[in-house]
Structure formats: structure tokens, C-alpha cells
Amino acid sequence: LLFAILASNVHSRSFFVHDPVDYVNLHIGTGGDGFGIGSTMPGVQLPFGTVRASPDTSGSLFLNWRHFGGYYYGDDRIRCFSHTHMVGSGTLDYGNICVMPITTATSSVVRDYGFQSKFRHSSERLFPGYYSVYLKNPQIEVELTVAGTHTALHRYTYKSTGVERLVLFDAVHSLVEGSCVNAYIRIFPENATVVGWSQSKGSLTRRNGMGTTVFFIAALPHPVVSFGVWNDSQMFTNTTEISGNTSRAYVGLMTSQSSVQMALAVSFVSIEQAKVNLKSQWSSNTSFDEYITAARRTWTKTLSQVNVTAGSNQTLVKFYTAMYHAFMAPTQFSDSNGVYLDMANKVKSLPPGTTHYSDLSIWE
């Protein structure tokens, strides 16, 4: 239907006066009310990507049904940046592996999202494959991009001098409050990595009886100088491991630079598979900006499959934003090497060159 609407003015060719990425408005689909809720997220992913790193927001009044995509345009606070989101669903699910840059680690910071920050839309910069926002409270600019279908990249620029560079990992967070069944985080200070998983039962994923477990590995190309964990709101410094459905952790990084970076890969199979995804998709020798360029190039190639040769700028924005949304989902459920978890919770491998998808939303 999307492509039939403008059929008389659409041609399949590669020439564009403008990059079609420039016509994508990532805020479209993040507002509305009632049955007009768009349920999309403005964050970063590749076409049909597993990882969808995006801000999860809240406001003075938090209504669950406004946050099916995690982000609601009418909100003024960012709770954190999580790495799994559904697209266009009519219910809450996912929102796993929450990360947030902070400047202080205390027992109170994890109570009722004490680490959330106010933001303004005027500070957001976004296009397919890139998202950035200025967090007002800790005075940190957050930038997101992707290195592959399973790997998100973060860059945090601290605007204040003399503050600690801390990164908080919340394995409890999900878009469905209280849906975390179990979680685990382990810090490896000697090689600046954090691994873990979060098992949650969302509105859809609980229907198989087990929920969904999202595994992750985070690589931080900076020496770790401090670390600790929280069990509920009780904080334990110099502790590297925590489990249970109140598991959170932090690492402090040593750097003289104002910016710190992180690569975070996910898997629905295991931590080892998350490591496989990270190794195959990310290299510390490739810069953050180079990954931004590569992600944009991928989206340009995808959207350039259709060239609209007539219509107003408004029409082009509607068309290419809708086309972008069409390539957001379904979700690649298999890992970069073809390994996946079947519905019987058994690990399987796909034939070479094939991909297993999930999240075929009946709402859309």
C-alpha cells in the first residue's frame, strides 16, 4: 500500500537530487493519544536490526499506553537509553538493558529513576542511524549510532569539568514496570567490559511462559578506575557481580578527555553469542564518526530503492518516513553467525545466508 499510493510518481532507480535520509522525520510516530499512538522510537538501528538503542522517556504524568515505543514526544525527561524496542505494537514490551551516563554513584540515585534527566527537543539531533540529545541535569551530551544489526555505540561528552565519568547499567528496567523476573551483571575491571542479562515477561513475551532474556556485553575503551553494584537501593562498592531482579551496576572511567565511548552488543541466545556479535560488528580501530557515516550510508542505500520524482517536500517527508518505518521491523532474532533460540528454547543454527525474524506485530 505504501508504494502503491505514489505509484505514478515513483521509479526504482538510484539517482537522487537529495539524500532520502534527509526526508525522514524520526519524531513522526512518537506522539498521539489513544488509538492514535504511533508506537515508534526515534533512536538508532539498521534495517530490521536486533538492537534498537533509544531513549525511554517520562513526564510529570506517566501513562503506560503512551510509551509502547519507549519514547513519547510530550515528555520532558529521559529515564535511560535501552537497547530493545518493539515497533508499532499496541502494548508494552521490551525496553531491556538500560544504560545511563551519570556523575555520581549513591544509594539514592537508583530509587525511582533518580538518574533520569530533563531534556529539550531543541537539543536533539537525529537522522536514521544517529541520535543525540543534551541531558540537562548531569550536563552530558549523549550520542548513539550502530556498528551492526546487534551492536549499538554510545558517546558521552561531559560539559562540566572535574566530574566523574560514570556509566550506570540497569538490568531491571523494562517498559513494563515489574516485569523483570531475573537479571545478572558482572564487571571485568581488568579489561573494561561489562556482561549480563535481563529476563522479563512483557505484555507479549510472557505468553510463551518464559518471557524473553536479552544478553549483553559492553566494551569500554577506557581504563576502569571504580565500580560497584546495587541490590535494590543498597550499594556495594568494589563489587563486580550482582544477580536478582534488582540488579544494577556502575563503572567509573579514567580519561582526560571530555568524551567517553562504549560499544554494547546484544543477543537473545547467550552472553557468548553477544560477544560473537560484538567481535564481528565492531572494531576499536574504527571511529565513532565513521560508524555514523556507515549507518547513514546503509539507510541511504535502503531508502534509495524507491525514487519519488514528484510531490511537495511535505509529501517526500511523509513517504520516506513511512518507508523508513517499514524497514524498522520485523526484528532480526538470529545472531550474526546464524545462531538463534527456537520457540522450544533450544539453540539452533540457520543455513548460511538465511535470517530468522520475530516481532511480526499484528497491531501494524
Side-chain angles (χ1 to χ4, degrees):
L1 177 62
L2 167 65
F3 303 118
I5 292 173
L6 299 176
S8 61
N9 294 317
V10 171
H11 304 278
S12 179
R13 65 186 196 188
S14 59
F15 173 75
F16 277 85
V17 176
H18 299 289
D19 186 341
V21 164
D22 294 330
Y23 292 115
V24 178
N25 182 343
L26 292 174
H27 280 138
I28 292 177
T30 64
D33 261 319
F35 288 104
I37 290 288
S39 303
T40 64
M41 60 97 193
V44 298
Q45 68 166 101
L46 290 184
F48 310 125
T50 305
V51 73
R52 296 189 182 102
S54 187
D56 294 337
T57 62
S58 66
S60 55
L61 178 64
F62 185 85
L63 299 174
N64 286 342
W65 48 268
R66 286 180 171 175
H67 297 85
F68 297 154
Y71 178 106
Y72 184 68
Y73 190 82
D75 290 339
D76 63 352
R77 298 173 180 88
I78 291 177
R79 285 183 162 185
C80 64
F81 300 88
S82 65
H83 291 78
T84 59
H85 294 88
M86 297 198 76
V87 179
S89 66
T91 189
L92 286 167
D93 216 315
Y94 285 169
N96 306 108
I97 316 304
C98 154
V99 173
M100 192 71 166
I102 57 176
T103 57
T104 182
T106 64
S107 294
S108 61
V109 77
V110 297
R111 294 188 192 126
D112 299 320
Y113 290 96
F115 48 81
Q116 69 180 344
S117 171
K118 286 196 171 185
F119 78 105
R120 292 180 177 176
H121 293 301
S122 59
S123 76
E124 291 179 298
R125 294 178 294 143
L126 60 168
F127 55 80
Y130 177 77
Y131 176 88
S132 75
V133 66
Y134 179 70
L135 302 180
K136 184 178 179 181
N137 300 351
Q139 298 183 317
I140 300 171
E141 180 188 25
V142 174
E143 295 175 272
L144 304 174
T145 190
V146 283
T149 50
H150 299 74
T151 306
L153 303 182
H154 297 235
R155 180 163 64 185
Y156 309 136
T157 301
Y158 292 73
K159 302 300 183 179
S160 296
T161 58
V163 297
E164 291 185 274
R165 273 71 162 154
L166 306 176
V167 181
L168 179 145
F169 297 85
D170 186 341
V172 182
H173 172 82
S174 73
L175 297 184
V176 183
E177 185 176 356
S179 68
C180 179
V181 177
N182 204 357
Y184 172 79
I185 303 176
R186 183 175 180 182
I187 305 164
F188 293 90
E190 63 276 9
N191 58 13
T193 58
V194 180
V195 302
W197 49 264
S198 176
Q199 180 189 6
S200 61
K201 293 184 177 181
S203 300
L204 294 176
T205 52
R206 69 186 178 193
R207 297 181 186 183
N208 67 1
M210 299 175 291
T212 297
T213 303
V214 181
F215 303 86
F216 78 93
I217 177 172
L220 299 138
H222 309 278
V224 172
V225 293
S226 62
F227 52 89
V229 300
W230 289 275
N231 182 3
D232 198 1
S233 60
Q234 189 174 4
M235 181 175 166
F236 300 90
T237 60
N238 300 317
T239 301
T240 60
E241 199 170 13
I242 186 72
S243 61
N245 64 355
T246 59
S247 300
R248 301 175 179 90
Y250 75 91
V251 294
L253 306 175
M254 181 177 69
T255 175
S256 59
Q257 301 173 339
S258 60
S259 295
V260 299
Q261 298 183 32
M262 175 178 67
L264 190 150
V266 300
S267 167
F268 288 109
V269 178
S270 66
I271 290 175
E272 288 305 312
Q273 279 297 123
K275 292 178 181 179
V276 169
N277 294 333
L278 181 70
K279 185 177 180 179
S280 67
Q281 297 177 358
W282 174 73
S283 170
S284 59
N285 295 323
T286 304
S287 73
F288 189 90
D289 292 331
E290 287 174 313
Y291 279 114
I292 295 174
T293 301
R296 182 183 177 112
R297 189 182 301 120
T298 296
W299 278 111
T300 295
K301 181 179 180 181
T302 299
L303 299 177
S304 295
Q305 295 178 75
V306 177
N307 183 9
V308 181
T309 59
S312 65
N313 186 77
Q314 184 181 38
T315 298
L316 294 172
V317 169
K318 288 180 179 179
F319 182 87
Y320 284 111
T321 301
M323 187 174 177
Y324 172 82
H325 288 158
F327 280 93
M328 289 178 73
T331 303
Q332 181 174 332
F333 197 66
S334 52
D335 287 326
S336 57
N337 59 355
V339 174
Y340 72 101
L341 203 65
D342 72 4
M343 294 303 292
N345 215 34
K346 295 181 179 179
V347 178
K348 300 251 181 106
S349 293
L350 292 166
T354 59
T355 304
H356 183 66
Y357 294 97
S358 186
D359 301 339
L360 299 163
S361 173
I362 59 174
W363 188 260
E364 283 282 280

